[in-house]
Amino acid sequence: DGFGAERLFNQGYSYTYDDVIFLPHYIDFPTDAVQLSTRLSRNIPLSIPCVSSPMDTVTESHMAAAMAALGGIGIVHYNLPTPDQALLVRSAKSRRVPLLSNPVFRGPHSRIADEFDGDDKPPLVLVTESGGNGSKLLGYVLKSDWQGLGDKEVKLVDYMRSDSGVCVPWSYDLEKIDSCLDSQGRDFVGLEEEGGEVVDVVTREDVERVKSYPKLGKGTVGPDGRWMVGAAVGTRESDKERLEHLVKAGINVVVLDSSQGNSIYQIEMIKYVKRTYPELDVVGGNVVTMSQAQNLIQAGVDGLRVGMGSGSICTTQEVCAVGRGQATAVYKVATIAAQSGVPVIADGGISNSGHIVKALVLGASTVMMGSFLAGSTEAPGAYEYQNGRRVKKYRGMGSLEAMTKGSDQRYLGDTAKLKIAQGVVGAVADKGSILKFVPYTMQAVKQGFQDLGASSLESAHNLLRSSTLRLEARTGAAQVEGGVHGLVSYVKKSF
Ligand code: XMP
């Protein structure tokens, strides 16, 4: 019944996720027995197969810390100057719990008015020796202490509270921090490292928020006890210097970002990274064919990013006439990558949990998502209201707007002078925190695996390769039937 994957994907068609459907198999275990643990790349183990995309409307420090807290990983984008990108990496890694606050550190002689005058100013400023984080705490000033103060020239030091008990060790987890806040009757605590340098602040509000979400596991923690964080770079000469800064900031994996990764530039960069930083995993791509993948595997990549033009904001297939349906691309690349033990990241085109099941079963080890995560509280940018809906901006890194900010090297060759957009700018609906909706999504993915009789990614891949799992292409009508249809909208009456 149905087709084995090898037969289905060798008929000359380019299939997207929606084009294919699995036939159910045999269930002999409960949903919770399904294990989604996996690897991003050769040496980066993850407990959930989720990666946030290196886009400037998706992954900065809040997203990277929250993805790691969930057991996935975030890849910090590089559409910004090197020191700023390194700062985002450091800030994600200095977080113990996935918070949304941006703690403010200042020196004792800063003017109070500069820190608190205005609605968008923080409720609290930490005063440190150096004026930045990672230095000794001298005290703190609360906005409420300052409000109503007439004298604009007053310095932080004049209103600073010194309180030696305000810091707890950086290694405290959420429960410990929570009980400290309770027992000491505080609204916030500072987190300090072993040498006494304060690096972060946790407020009661943060703790209450995180506690209301499904319980977090251990997360993706590196050997140094900090979140694992990835970063993207390009393949220009200047990217070598960028990479040096990022390595100093502590990245665990680098993603070489290109829409067509099978190039002399990327192959040289892969070899350079492996030569210069043998401990650092390098992800290459993007690729969609077996021969592209083979070239990058030979050059030494530790992971392959798959997808060309399948992203929700992509216009590459229309502008350049190249690309591949994402289901076919993932299956083909994973087939060759599996022979060398290189994990595949299915990048783009994920808009529901079914797409994640399809990507993983077709051979991917993880999915990389942009639009799926962009409307979350952890994504960069503020919410706006459009036609009565709360939305966040989401834009392609090949859109003119993003390229104007510098992301052109992903989409243009080194010498291109005329900018041609390969992406668009849009908005996505508010989805709340990823700490809430990603665990629900993973539960749905587990149910999909259970229906297929696959208790892990490895067992799914084995079932697929042995053609035990059967698939079919869906006709247009079958796709309509598989979605919600035939309903009129139901307006609930209120009494
Ligand atoms: P989703 O579907 O998750 O896709 O929103 C995210 C992925 O899309 C790629 N990307 C682009 N592709 N033009 C493109 O052709 C663009 O402007 C663009 N921006 C991002 C990228 O691989 C990302 O992870």
Side-chain angles (χ1 to χ4, degrees):
D1 209 355
F3 282 18
E6 202 189 331
R7 184 157 167 221
L8 188 78
F9 287 110
N10 281 302
Q11 304 192 74
Y13 290 104
S14 200
Y15 291 124
T16 65
Y17 294 134
D18 281 337
D19 288 325
V20 294
I21 193 80
F22 295 118
L23 304 187
H25 192 41
Y26 178 65
I27 299 177
D28 55 0
F29 51 82
T31 319
D32 286 333
V34 176
Q35 280 292 329
L36 294 178
S37 53
T38 185
R39 284 180 306 157
L40 172 81
S41 51
R42 282 188 201 275
N43 304 297
I44 307 281
L46 304 176
S47 47
I48 62 165
C50 299
V51 188
S52 67
S53 177
M55 300 174 70
D56 59 7
T57 47
V58 180
T59 312
E60 293 194 339
S61 54
H62 292 151
M63 179 64 77
M67 285 301 291
L70 285 164
I73 194 164
I75 311 296
V76 175
H77 75 90
Y78 70 118
N79 201 17
L80 73 185
T82 303
D84 297 346
Q85 190 186 12
L87 199 68
L88 293 180
V89 171
R90 282 206 172 87
S91 150
K93 289 183 85 81
S94 72
R95 302 240 106 143
R96 196 51 207 159
V97 276
L99 310 173
L100 288 171
S101 53
N102 281 317
V104 177
F105 300 87
R106 293 283 182 266
H109 299 293
S110 298
R111 285 166 74 233
I112 292 196
D114 293 343
E115 305 310 329
F116 293 131
D117 210 358
D119 291 340
D120 56 341
K121 292 297 164 78
L124 160 86
V125 169
L126 294 180
V127 185
T128 59
E129 262 177 13
S130 72
N133 76 347
S135 112
K136 197 171 166 326
L137 184 72
L138 300 175
Y140 60 91
V141 183
L142 301 175
K143 191 173 186 174
S144 52
D145 286 348
W146 171 78
Q147 266 157 352
L149 208 72
D151 185 356
K152 297 251 177 203
E153 290 313 311
V154 180
K155 303 278 191 283
L156 286 175
V157 65
D158 302 322
Y159 270 80
M160 188 173 81
R161 299 182 184 216
S162 304
D163 175 355
S164 56
V166 75
C167 282
V168 298
W170 181 85
S171 56
Y172 273 25
D173 60 12
L174 196 70
E175 280 80 41
K176 269 192 168 167
I177 293 172
D178 191 22
S179 65
C180 267
L181 289 170
D182 269 354
S183 64
Q184 300 184 21
R186 293 182 184 280
D187 287 329
F188 73 95
V189 285
L191 298 182
E192 67 181 9
E193 300 204 315
E194 265 171 33
E197 301 96 11
V198 60
V199 287
D200 207 354
V201 173
V202 184
T203 63
R204 184 178 290 279
E205 209 183 316
D206 282 325
V207 174
E208 293 304 324
R209 188 180 67 87
V210 178
K211 266 169 56 184
S212 71
Y213 300 141
K215 200 165 163 23
L216 290 165
K218 180 169 135 319
T220 310
V221 179
D224 55 358
R226 294 174 183 276
W227 299 135
M228 287 206 187
V229 173
V233 302
T235 50
R236 290 182 183 158
E237 221 21 59
S238 59
D239 286 294
K240 295 181 178 167
E241 199 189 321
R242 184 182 278 272
L243 181 58
E244 194 186 333
H245 282 87
L246 293 169
V247 169
K248 280 192 190 133
I251 54 165
N252 302 88
V253 53
V254 63
V255 173
L256 304 183
D257 191 43
S258 167
S259 57
Q260 208 290 53
N262 184 25
S263 69
I264 185 167
Y265 315 109
Q266 183 161 132
I267 288 173
E268 282 175 2
M269 189 70 166
I270 293 164
K271 291 182 178 161
Y272 167 82
V273 178
K274 290 276 72 169
R275 215 172 39 238
T276 320
Y277 308 102
E279 303 287 296
L280 184 69
D281 267 20
V282 54
V283 170
N286 283 21
V287 293
V288 289
T289 72
M290 291 169 129
S291 72
Q292 281 182 302
Q294 192 61 55
N295 273 350
L296 301 193
I297 291 169
Q298 264 164 16
V301 282
D302 300 300
L304 277 171
R305 197 171 155 204
V306 175
M308 191 175 197
S310 54
S312 59
I313 32 51
C314 301
T315 53
T316 296
Q317 293 191 8
E318 282 165 16
V319 175
C320 302
V322 276
R324 199 170 205 178
Q326 186 66 344
T328 304
V330 169
Y331 174 73
K332 290 285 183 179
V333 174
T335 304
I336 195 102
Q339 292 167 12
S340 320
V342 174
V344 159
I345 303 163
D347 173 22
I350 300 290
S351 47
N352 55 45
S353 55
H355 292 158
I356 302 180
V357 175
K358 288 176 183 173
L360 297 175
V361 174
L362 290 175
S365 292
T366 52
V367 290
M368 179 178 273
M369 297 171 287
S371 66
F372 198 76
L373 305 171
S376 68
T377 13
E378 288 80 5
Y383 285 109
E384 298 166 42
Y385 281 92
Q386 274 179 13
N387 301 325
R389 292 187 80 189
R390 221 165 102 94
V391 297
K392 253 192 200 188
K393 184 194 259 189
Y394 176 53
R395 67 182 182 196
M397 297 310 293
S399 63
L400 278 182
E401 193 185 282
M403 288 201 289
T404 311
K405 243 196 104 194
S407 75
D408 46 350
Q409 63 157 315
R410 179 181 160 96
Y411 296 94
L412 304 173
D414 258 3
T415 50
K417 293 277 183 293
L418 300 176
K419 289 189 196 304
I420 304 293
Q422 289 185 41
V424 296
V425 181
V428 284
D430 177 7
K431 288 181 87 171
S433 172
I434 66 164
L435 299 180
K436 184 166 181 185
F437 74 76
V438 169
Y440 279 98
T441 308
M442 289 302 103
Q443 192 63 20
V445 170
K446 284 184 180 178
Q447 282 180 16
F449 269 61
Q450 187 195 28
D451 286 341
L452 297 173
S455 58
S456 67
L457 267 68
E458 200 190 345
S459 94
H461 295 171
N462 289 337
L463 290 171
L464 188 86
R465 304 250 174 265
S466 63
S467 289
T468 313
L469 266 190
R470 312 298 286 178
L471 302 86
E472 272 168 1
R474 296 203 290 183
T475 61
Q479 290 182 41
V480 173
E481 188 186 64
V484 176
H485 59 276
L487 300 181
V488 291
S489 61
Y490 176 68
V491 184
K492 211 173 157 192
K493 281 191 187 141
S494 56
F495 295 97

